[in-house]
Amino acid sequence: MDKILRINMGAVGGPEIKTEGLGDYAGLGGRAMTSAIVAKEVPPLCHPLGEDNKLVIAPGLLSGSVAAMSGRISVGCKSPLTGGIKEANSGGQPSQMLGRLGYAAIILEGKPKAKTLYKIFINKDGVDIKEDNSLCMLGNYDLVDKMKAEYGEKVHCISIGPAGEMKMSAASIAFTDMEQRPTRHAGRGGVGAVMGAKGVKVIVIDDAGTAARTPADPEKFKAANKEWVAGLRKHPVTGEALPTYGTNVLTNVINEAGAYPTRNFSIGQYEGASKISGESQADLENARGGEGSATHGCHRGCVIRCSGTFYDKNGRFLTKQVEYETMWAHGGNCGIDDIDAIAQIDRLDDDFGIDTIEMGATIAVAMEGGVAKFGDAEAAINLVKEVGQGTPLGRILGNGAAVTGQVFGVERVPVVKKQSMPAYDPRAVMGIGVTYATTPMGADHTAGYAVTANIMGVGGSVDPLKPEGQMELARNLQIATAILTDSTGMCLFIAFAILDQPDTFQALVDLINAFTGESFTGDDLMAQGKAILKCERDFNFRAGFTAKDDRLPEYFKKEPLAPHNVTFQVSDEDLDEVYNF
Amino acid sequence: MEKIDGIPIARLSLIVKAELVPIFFQLLGQGFKVNAQIGCSVKELLCNQLGIHEDYLTERIQTIFLNAKVVDDVKSANVNEGSILALSGAMPGLVGAILRSGGIYAGMRSQISHKENKLSPQGQTAPITLKLLNLIVKELGPIFLQRGICIKGQTLQEFTKRYAEELSAGCLSGDINGKPLDIVNLQGVDWGADQVLLQVSSEQAT
């Protein structure tokens, strides 16, 4: 990946395409790339939907190689939801394809003067951009079908649905999966609205005639990759739990812990949890059968295969296997225990191009505000349809939980930096509340996900039972995640295997070094992770964020959560220490 | 007739095709009653009373909840009358790691970690509730089903109604309190509020 594709959508005479070298951005991938570009090139005080914001799409550092699990792609910009820097990432095929085509990043900048929609086509021969207003308000599924008919059966797409075109703050960007379905999304923070503001409906990618990227040391790379795959396959999480049940395996466990946010974070256990658990979902999928039903990868090179394919009662494809966060957001958080109804909502979210976490949290807030009753699946489906249709109510909901809470006078709005919390109540699991509060991204469960200094053997040892240890754990988790997964293109779920198996962690380091030709140590990687977080924090500071934005909503400190009757007790002073490095 | 909580319970025994066994796992996940000698540690209960091998406990059961709190030390957490014990395999994600028994992220969920509890007098027999989740139910479920699990009649009723088609196709034979049962009538049995001891064996196991 030795080039950056830069398209000025606001150039006089129409979009201007430039291909340039990596320059200052050499050696970066994924989140490291998107955040570096946004921090350097986007004025922090600009309007997120204005001409000065930029949308950056960057494959992970190892994407396009044959390294297992390396197919994640990052999207960065100033977020219309949070007002701060944003990196959202996704699986799907485009990351590997852009890597093979040699693109380390695509930057969309400027803004078209006229209300025009564009499609971009990228292949080994170059880049083409055309106006195509016939794509206006198409759902992602119809859009991809149209692109396949036009560009051939082997292309893949990066696209927005109607929500992105309407510049909603919950709008996502879709990435097609191995079956060319728009089921994988960079969901968080309204990145789809920024793509919509640039007037780009779809980027079509054809990597025919390209080859996998070549490692600096092919022999060492091959050996490290073999170790890497073996390590992932032998671990009970990556080799058994995830392939068998998918991410939704968490439902029963989080519910048992009393940390399962139910009916808009009002209690920590949901009586209908087992009906929508990963175990029940896998049973249903296995019973209905069909190709890739309960175990399936989201991109080439995935060996964990935590996804699946959801077929309806009549055996017709409906959506991908519903992920834990989605099953929770539209399920327990709204008091809904019907898997088929939740799968239908997931399909609508993907088609309209909406973040499932934000949408589920928003509907729950709306339910608390009296718009619908908790547990009413049909009402929830209709509310999502309103978003896709852009009705006045849909426009409110499509702009997320914070806006919806304000409109309907709801006090219990579970957001940080206006972004909805995911599926873990921070009163029961306070450590994740520290991450929700302090990550530059807004409430985000993936921000502190990987391994700590304890495992990497750098930066000293932490006593996790002391409060200061908790702060340090949250900090180190955020640092390690920024570099080890978000920037390499590695899937988040590698975390357990490298956590438990030192030889597998070493295989990952060897893989990175053999590919890049570098000799990174654990210290080097942690330093890179710190640099990413510092540049993101600095952007937010320049955008007007202060320590007051690193807080959970007040009610988490006041309202005890059943069944444990606990509140969030981490002090503001401790939260302010997380970024003291 | 067997008793639990001093109340006589009905016994439903089913012999089913092997592929039908997994649909009963959700009953194990929702929780079932077990008569146990209370006043002992979690480890004693699981290994000495329920026959779970110590290596299996150490290597496969990665997260244990006692009354919805995470157990970090199976030797010091005590099982008393009415305890609810849930067993899970290793879980993904940051929170999965945080919830792991004795894991390095335990400090991040100190509010819901199990602390020392009082010990009931040893030797008494009383019911506790056991829940088997995810990989654990897949591996231990058939054994517990063969031994028999005690569930609410209402739960069984809902289950037989929901899976009437599958049960009709996959049940080979059955009896209630030793009296042969025509499987087509299973859905119509009124279990009321009684507890039912459900025993499920696959044709391979019989």
Side-chain angles (χ1 to χ4, degrees), chain A residues 33-95:
Chain A
M33 177 67 86
T34 63
S35 289
I37 293 172
V38 172
K40 184 177 178 186
E41 300 187 14
V42 175
L45 295 173
C46 74
H47 195 290
L49 303 178
E51 62 181 358
D52 289 336
N53 198 5
K54 301 190 181 193
L55 187 79
V56 185
I57 301 170
L61 193 62
L62 301 182
S63 288
S65 75
V66 297
M69 310 304 304
S70 63
R72 302 284 300 183
I73 193 164
S74 292
V75 179
C77 59
K78 176 173 176 174
S79 165
L81 182 72
T82 69
I85 198 165
K86 171 55 63 182
E87 186 267 352
N89 57 60
S90 173
Q93 284 298 104
S95 191

Side-chain angles (χ1 to χ4, degrees), chain A residues 21-32:
Chain A
L22 299 178
D24 292 345
Y25 305 123
L28 302 180
R31 178 175 170 181

Side-chain angles (χ1 to χ4, degrees), chain A residues 237 240 245 253-254 256-257 279 424 427-428 430-432 448-450 452 455 464 470 496 499-500 564 566-567, chain B residues 30 60 65 68-69 86 88 90-95 97-100 104-105 107-108 111-112 131 133-135 138:
Chain A
V237 167
E240 292 178 86
Y245 300 113
V253 176
I254 304 300
E256 191 63 31
E279 292 91 322
Y424 317 90
R427 285 166 288 192
M430 284 199 301
I432 198 135
Y449 217 110
T452 72
I455 297 96
Q470 182 159 287
F496 252 112
L499 173 78
D500 285 344
H564 297 299
V566 288
T567 55
Chain B
Q30 288 168 24
R60 299 294 285 177
F65 297 98
K69 296 205 168 186
S88 166
M91 287 293 99
L94 173 59
V95 177
I98 290 172
L99 294 177
R100 180 182 286 193
I104 60 163
Y105 305 126
M108 296 178 87
Q111 297 252 85
I112 58 165
K131 297 180 181 180
L133 307 175
N134 47 71
L135 292 173
K138 199 176 167 195

